Amino acid sequence: MDIKYAYYRSSVGYKIEGKTDNEILTAGGGTRSISTFWHDGNFNPLDYVPKTRTLTINGTAYDLSANRSFTTPDTITRLKGGASGSLVSGDVTLAAGSNMAISQSGSTITLSSTDTTYSAGNGLTLSGTTFSLPVTTSGSGNVVTGVVQTANGITVNLGSMPTSSDLANYIPLSQKGAANGVAGLDASGLVPASQLPSYVDDVLEGYYRSADGKFYKEASYTNLVAGETGKIYVSLDTNKTYRWTGTTFVYITSGAVDSVNGQTGVVVLNKSHVGLANVDNTADSAKSVLSATKWTAARTISLSGVTATAQTIDGSGNVAIPVTAVPATLLTGTAAINTTGSAAKLTTARTISATGDGTWAVSFDGSANAASALTLAATGVAAGTYDQVTVDAKGRVVAGNNLVRSYTTSISGTATIGHNLGTRNVEVAMYDTVTFYKIDGRIKLTDPNKLDIEFDSNLPNPVSVTVTSKDL
């Protein structure tokens, strides 16, 4: 047979020695025949590694002719894998999460855990996180009366809900010091002034002047006191009290007579108070009355409602009262009235006035001539000079405006000029803006607000054009 390679066991493993037929295989320096090497069939070449095979780790090659041992270093420079869910070859990348911090100092990498703080808003939802908060209770009952946060959690204070019978013994806060409710008490156990009617503690002092029916702060009647309903006003000069009706001060009477024949206060009249100290209580029919030629004291008789001359009478004779004037309201029938009389002036002065386009007023009592300036009503047109005015039926200027008379621009050659004069009745003046010579050209009045200008040759300089309206 042709054996290219044969294997034998030595102290260091199996080696290849023979190459050709009938060659003797030496084993460890000896010789053996092929038949003695290949004996009971328990040798399988697939269970052995040829000596030419090597293993390379981190760039270092190792042959497999002998046993080998390797020590893994502490530093991992490369991870390898490839199966699903395992690492693949490549550098290791460390990424920090929300609660992990990574730092490196030299060749040392440090992973530090950090606490996570959760802040609740309207509600706190922690998915996949265990969360607990110690809650303790204080007191007893079925109502929470307060919640207190402590260093270790929350303390809930408990109480009991008041019953209907409990509430019946209390007044709602909304009724205290409110309309249709009850009055409260201050620190002194008294009803505060803010819950009392103003007239209870509002008594104002001042001086009442009967001439105008007003109340003043000073006796000199300088500063007025504003009237208020529900307050009492005391006049310091008379000690009389008044109240405000909303329009005037009204005297508050005490029930006593203010004055009777010079007597004030609660007066009990007797004969001496009215000058009848010598009068007895005998009836006229039972006493003798002496006759007299005249009265002891003369009296004056006058007429009211008419103009008359008062007369004095003492009983010694008849008197007549001359009537010089009778109001027309008292006259009836067809009696003649003398209207030829005259008076120095009117009893009551009258005001004469005028309204409309002019206003005028004067006070006149007939005692002298009266004059007053007439003020004309403004038409709304500002004072000034106008080219055109609008006049109403009374000849008053009610509107005015000034006409636009000219329009000026500059051109550099043949041009169309638009203006705002609104008329073809215009005058056109042109001059060279450098030499100031007057220039002529062909002018076409295209429409009331536009004209065309043409020249026979090119213009050396810009030309100023002024269009003036000739309409008045």
Side-chain angles (χ1 to χ4, degrees):
M1 70 180 176
D2 185 5
I3 301 177
K4 296 298 184 182
Y5 299 97
Y7 303 87
Y8 70 97
R9 185 181 181 84
S10 67
S11 61
V12 294
Y14 294 92
K15 289 187 176 181
I16 303 173
E17 293 292 344
K19 296 182 178 180
T20 63
D21 292 343
N22 300 320
E23 284 189 313
I24 301 301
L25 302 175
T26 57
T31 62
R32 294 179 62 182
S33 62
I34 294 176
S35 60
T36 59
F37 175 76
W38 197 270
H39 50 89
D40 54 3
N42 59 357
F43 174 77
N44 186 356
L46 296 177
D47 293 332
Y48 301 93
V49 179
K51 68 177 182 180
T52 57
R53 300 296 176 89
T54 59
L55 175 65
T56 301
I57 300 176
N58 289 336
T60 302
Y62 300 91
D63 64 61
L64 300 180
S65 61
N67 294 330
R68 301 292 182 180
S69 62
F70 301 95
T71 301
T72 303
D74 293 338
T75 303
I76 299 175
T77 59
R78 182 77 67 176
L79 296 178
K80 295 186 177 182
S84 176
S86 63
L87 294 173
V88 298
S89 62
D91 294 334
V92 177
T93 300
L94 300 178
S98 60
N99 59 347
M100 177 67 71
I102 299 176
S103 61
Q104 180 176 354
S105 177
S107 60
T108 301
I109 298 177
T110 303
L111 285 77
S112 301
S113 298
T114 59
D115 294 336
T116 299
T117 301
Y118 298 93
S119 299
N122 295 330
L124 177 63
T125 301
L126 301 175
S127 177
T129 302
T130 301
F131 182 85
S132 63
L133 182 64
V135 178
T136 59
T137 59
S138 176
S140 61
N142 55 4
V143 178
V144 176
T145 60
V147 177
V148 180
Q149 182 176 354
T150 64
N152 298 322
I154 293 176
T155 299
V156 178
N157 298 313
L158 301 178
S160 298
M161 180 70 72
T163 64
S164 298
S165 59
D166 294 334
L167 296 176
N169 296 324
Y170 295 91
I171 298 173
L173 293 176
S174 60
Q175 295 184 10
K176 291 187 176 180
N180 297 322
V182 296
L185 300 179
D186 58 16
S188 302
L190 302 175
V191 177
S194 61
Q195 298 181 28
L196 295 173
S198 61
Y199 58 79
V200 174
D201 58 353
D202 286 348
V203 177
L204 302 181
E205 295 181 337
Y207 297 87
Y208 177 78
R209 185 166 70 174
S210 57
D212 58 8
K214 296 181 180 180
F215 219 84
Y216 294 85
K217 294 181 180 180
E218 309 87 4
S220 59
Y221 307 125
T222 304
N223 294 308
L224 285 172
V225 176
E228 295 183 45
T229 303
K231 292 187 178 182
I232 297 175
Y233 300 83
V234 179
S235 185
L236 296 177
D237 52 350
T238 62
N239 287 326
K240 291 184 178 181
T241 57
Y242 300 82
R243 65 179 179 84
W244 176 251
T245 65
T247 57
T248 185
F249 289 97
V250 177
Y251 170 61
I252 302 175
T253 179
S254 63
V257 178
D258 293 327
S259 175
V260 176
N261 197 30
Q263 305 295 316
T264 60
V266 180
V267 178
V268 178
L269 291 176
N270 54 40
K271 294 186 293 183
S272 60
H273 290 155
V274 293
L276 299 176
N278 297 323
V279 176
D280 56 23
N281 293 328
T282 305
D284 291 341
S285 59
K287 65 183 179 181
S288 175
V289 178
L290 296 176
S291 61
T293 59
K294 65 178 183 178
W295 299 336
T296 302
R299 303 299 179 186
T300 298
I301 299 177
S302 61
L303 299 178
S304 62
V306 296
T307 303
T309 303
Q311 299 294 316
T312 301
I313 182 173
D314 60 3
S316 60
N318 298 327
V319 296
I321 301 177
V323 176
T324 58
V326 178
T329 55
L330 299 180
L331 298 177
T332 60
T334 58
I337 300 175
N338 184 3
T339 60
T340 61
S342 62
K345 66 176 182 178
L346 299 175
T347 303
T348 302
R350 302 300 179 183
T351 298
I352 303 174
S353 62
T355 59
D357 295 334
T359 58
W360 169 79
V362 66
S363 179
F364 180 75
D365 63 1
S367 61
N369 296 331
S372 177
L374 174 67
T375 302
L376 294 177
T379 63
V381 180
T385 302
Y386 297 93
D387 295 331
Q388 292 180 341
V389 295
T390 301
V391 180
D392 64 8
K394 300 178 181 180
R396 300 181 307 163
V397 176
V398 295
N401 64 288
N402 291 316
L403 294 176
V404 176
R405 296 184 179 276
S406 63
Y407 178 86
T408 302
T409 186
S410 294
I411 62 175
S412 297
T414 299
T416 297
I417 297 177
H419 56 81
N420 58 359
L421 302 180
T423 179
R424 286 188 175 88
N425 187 20
V426 297
E427 181 179 82
V428 181
M430 298 183 291
Y431 67 89
D432 188 301
T433 58
V434 176
T435 63
F436 299 104
Y437 282 114
K438 182 178 178 181
I439 296 177
D440 293 324
R442 288 187 297 275
I443 299 172
K444 178 181 179 181
L445 302 175
T446 306
D447 61 37
N449 287 303
K450 185 168 65 176
L451 55 86
D452 297 330
I453 300 177
E454 297 177 353
F455 299 98
D456 293 333
S457 60
N458 294 332
L459 300 177
N461 301 311
V463 173
S464 174
V465 180
T466 300
V467 183
T468 304
S469 173
K470 297 170 66 177
D471 290 335
L472 297 180

mmCIF file of all heavy atoms in Angstrom, residues 73-94:
data_model
loop_
_atom_site.group_PDB
_atom_site.id
_atom_site.type_symbol
_atom_site.label_atom_id
_atom_site.label_comp_id
_atom_site.label_asym_id
_atom_site.label_seq_id
_atom_site.Cartn_x
_atom_site.Cartn_y
_atom_site.Cartn_z
ATOM 1 N N PRO A 73 -6.044 38.929 30.177
ATOM 2 C CA PRO A 73 -5.674 40.145 30.929
ATOM 3 C C PRO A 73 -6.910 40.803 31.568
ATOM 4 O O PRO A 73 -8.036 40.591 31.160
ATOM 5 C CB PRO A 73 -5.041 41.042 29.854
ATOM 6 C CG PRO A 73 -5.654 40.576 28.580
ATOM 7 C CD PRO A 73 -5.837 39.089 28.728
ATOM 8 N N ASP A 74 -6.653 41.663 32.595
ATOM 9 C CA ASP A 74 -7.745 42.353 33.285
ATOM 10 C C ASP A 74 -8.451 43.354 32.356
ATOM 11 O O ASP A 74 -9.647 43.591 32.469
ATOM 12 C CB ASP A 74 -7.221 43.091 34.510
ATOM 13 C CG ASP A 74 -6.742 42.105 35.568
ATOM 14 O OD1 ASP A 74 -7.196 40.948 35.526
ATOM 15 O OD2 ASP A 74 -5.922 42.509 36.408
ATOM 16 N N THR A 75 -7.734 43.970 31.443
ATOM 17 C CA THR A 75 -8.302 44.986 30.561
ATOM 18 C C THR A 75 -8.920 44.339 29.337
ATOM 19 O O THR A 75 -8.259 43.556 28.655
ATOM 20 C CB THR A 75 -7.235 45.996 30.131
ATOM 21 O OG1 THR A 75 -6.653 46.587 31.283
ATOM 22 C CG2 THR A 75 -7.841 47.084 29.236
ATOM 23 N N ILE A 76 -10.213 44.652 29.085
ATOM 24 C CA ILE A 76 -10.889 44.126 27.903
ATOM 25 C C ILE A 76 -10.811 45.180 26.819
ATOM 26 O O ILE A 76 -11.313 46.305 26.966
ATOM 27 C CB ILE A 76 -12.367 43.797 28.202
ATOM 28 C CG1 ILE A 76 -12.447 42.733 29.298
ATOM 29 C CG2 ILE A 76 -13.081 43.327 26.953
ATOM 30 C CD1 ILE A 76 -13.834 42.433 29.741
ATOM 31 N N THR A 77 -10.121 44.842 25.746
ATOM 32 C CA THR A 77 -9.970 45.787 24.655
ATOM 33 C C THR A 77 -10.918 45.503 23.515
ATOM 34 O O THR A 77 -11.158 46.355 22.672
ATOM 35 C CB THR A 77 -8.528 45.783 24.130
ATOM 36 O OG1 THR A 77 -8.211 44.456 23.686
ATOM 37 C CG2 THR A 77 -7.551 46.164 25.234
ATOM 38 N N ARG A 78 -11.470 44.302 23.413
ATOM 39 C CA ARG A 78 -12.345 43.949 22.301
ATOM 40 C C ARG A 78 -13.295 42.848 22.739
ATOM 41 O O ARG A 78 -12.899 41.884 23.376
ATOM 42 C CB ARG A 78 -11.522 43.472 21.124
ATOM 43 C CG ARG A 78 -12.319 43.118 19.882
ATOM 44 C CD ARG A 78 -12.739 44.369 19.150
ATOM 45 N NE ARG A 78 -11.589 45.066 18.587
ATOM 46 C CZ ARG A 78 -11.699 46.149 17.831
ATOM 47 N NH1 ARG A 78 -12.884 46.642 17.562
ATOM 48 N NH2 ARG A 78 -10.618 46.758 17.379
ATOM 49 N N LEU A 79 -14.598 43.036 22.509
ATOM 50 C CA LEU A 79 -15.589 42.003 22.751
ATOM 51 C C LEU A 79 -16.048 41.469 21.410
ATOM 52 O O LEU A 79 -16.298 42.234 20.487
ATOM 53 C CB LEU A 79 -16.788 42.567 23.527
ATOM 54 C CG LEU A 79 -16.508 43.078 24.944
ATOM 55 C CD1 LEU A 79 -17.785 43.626 25.537
ATOM 56 C CD2 LEU A 79 -15.963 41.961 25.822
ATOM 57 N N LYS A 80 -16.205 40.160 21.345
ATOM 58 C CA LYS A 80 -16.624 39.526 20.099
ATOM 59 C C LYS A 80 -17.800 38.614 20.356
ATOM 60 O O LYS A 80 -17.969 38.074 21.429
ATOM 61 C CB LYS A 80 -15.469 38.755 19.470
ATOM 62 C CG LYS A 80 -14.318 39.648 19.030
ATOM 63 C CD LYS A 80 -13.259 38.883 18.287
ATOM 64 C CE LYS A 80 -12.155 39.816 17.782
ATOM 65 N NZ LYS A 80 -11.127 39.081 17.005
ATOM 66 N N GLY A 81 -18.596 38.471 19.345
ATOM 67 C CA GLY A 81 -19.753 37.594 19.439
ATOM 68 C C GLY A 81 -20.433 37.558 18.096
ATOM 69 O O GLY A 81 -19.783 37.539 17.075
ATOM 70 N N GLY A 82 -21.734 37.610 18.077
ATOM 71 C CA GLY A 82 -22.429 37.607 16.822
ATOM 72 C C GLY A 82 -23.782 36.950 16.879
ATOM 73 O O GLY A 82 -24.632 37.182 16.023
ATOM 74 N N ALA A 83 -24.004 36.088 17.862
ATOM 75 C CA ALA A 83 -25.315 35.443 17.978
ATOM 76 C C ALA A 83 -26.362 36.482 18.346
ATOM 77 O O ALA A 83 -26.052 37.541 18.906
ATOM 78 C CB ALA A 83 -25.273 34.329 19.023
ATOM 79 N N SER A 84 -27.618 36.190 18.069
ATOM 80 C CA SER A 84 -28.708 37.107 18.358
ATOM 81 C C SER A 84 -28.762 37.415 19.851
ATOM 82 O O SER A 84 -28.762 36.502 20.687
ATOM 83 C CB SER A 84 -30.033 36.494 17.894
ATOM 84 O OG SER A 84 -31.096 37.336 18.249
ATOM 85 N N GLY A 85 -28.758 38.693 20.166
ATOM 86 C CA GLY A 85 -28.840 39.102 21.571
ATOM 87 C C GLY A 85 -27.507 39.221 22.244
ATOM 88 O O GLY A 85 -27.443 39.558 23.423
ATOM 89 N N SER A 86 -26.377 38.908 21.547
ATOM 90 C CA SER A 86 -25.050 38.988 22.162
ATOM 91 C C SER A 86 -24.272 40.113 21.511
ATOM 92 O O SER A 86 -24.683 40.701 20.518
ATOM 93 C CB SER A 86 -24.320 37.659 22.006
ATOM 94 O OG SER A 86 -24.102 37.388 20.627
ATOM 95 N N LEU A 87 -23.132 40.427 22.114
ATOM 96 C CA LEU A 87 -22.288 41.489 21.586
ATOM 97 C C LEU A 87 -21.667 41.065 20.270
ATOM 98 O O LEU A 87 -21.365 39.884 20.059
ATOM 99 C CB LEU A 87 -21.184 41.849 22.582
ATOM 100 C CG LEU A 87 -21.652 42.479 23.907
ATOM 101 C CD1 LEU A 87 -20.486 42.620 24.863
ATOM 102 C CD2 LEU A 87 -22.286 43.820 23.647
ATOM 103 N N VAL A 88 -21.460 41.998 19.364
ATOM 104 C CA VAL A 88 -20.730 41.750 18.128
ATOM 105 C C VAL A 88 -19.385 42.421 18.242
ATOM 106 O O VAL A 88 -19.150 43.237 19.146
ATOM 107 C CB VAL A 88 -21.515 42.274 16.917
ATOM 108 C CG1 VAL A 88 -22.838 41.558 16.783
ATOM 109 C CG2 VAL A 88 -21.759 43.783 17.042
ATOM 110 N N SER A 89 -18.487 42.093 17.352
ATOM 111 C CA SER A 89 -17.139 42.641 17.432
ATOM 112 C C SER A 89 -17.193 44.153 17.252
ATOM 113 O O SER A 89 -17.945 44.666 16.434
ATOM 114 C CB SER A 89 -16.252 42.007 16.360
ATOM 115 O OG SER A 89 -16.751 42.309 15.073
ATOM 116 N N GLY A 90 -16.396 44.815 18.004
ATOM 117 C CA GLY A 90 -16.366 46.266 17.937
ATOM 118 C C GLY A 90 -16.037 46.858 19.285
ATOM 119 O O GLY A 90 -15.973 46.151 20.299
ATOM 120 N N ASP A 91 -15.791 48.158 19.308
ATOM 121 C CA ASP A 91 -15.459 48.809 20.573
ATOM 122 C C ASP A 91 -16.685 48.895 21.465
ATOM 123 O O ASP A 91 -17.829 48.944 20.986
ATOM 124 C CB ASP A 91 -14.928 50.220 20.315
ATOM 125 C CG ASP A 91 -13.604 50.176 19.575
ATOM 126 O OD1 ASP A 91 -12.903 49.161 19.701
ATOM 127 O OD2 ASP A 91 -13.298 51.164 18.870
ATOM 128 N N VAL A 92 -16.463 48.913 22.762
ATOM 129 C CA VAL A 92 -17.545 49.031 23.747
ATOM 130 C C VAL A 92 -17.856 50.524 23.942
ATOM 131 O O VAL A 92 -16.955 51.318 24.199
ATOM 132 C CB VAL A 92 -17.155 48.380 25.086
ATOM 133 C CG1 VAL A 92 -18.268 48.580 26.104
ATOM 134 C CG2 VAL A 92 -16.894 46.894 24.887
ATOM 135 N N THR A 93 -19.138 50.895 23.802
ATOM 136 C CA THR A 93 -19.571 52.287 24.011
ATOM 137 C C THR A 93 -20.436 52.349 25.262
ATOM 138 O O THR A 93 -21.430 51.626 25.380
ATOM 139 C CB THR A 93 -20.376 52.809 22.817
ATOM 140 O OG1 THR A 93 -19.547 52.760 21.650
ATOM 141 C CG2 THR A 93 -20.821 54.252 23.054
ATOM 142 N N LEU A 94 -20.066 53.203 26.223
ATOM 143 C CA LEU A 94 -20.829 53.359 27.462
ATOM 144 C C LEU A 94 -21.678 54.621 27.340
ATOM 145 O O LEU A 94 -21.160 55.707 27.071
ATOM 146 C CB LEU A 94 -19.885 53.466 28.660
ATOM 147 C CG LEU A 94 -18.961 52.257 28.898
ATOM 148 C CD1 LEU A 94 -18.047 52.524 30.082
ATOM 149 C CD2 LEU A 94 -19.777 50.991 29.125
#
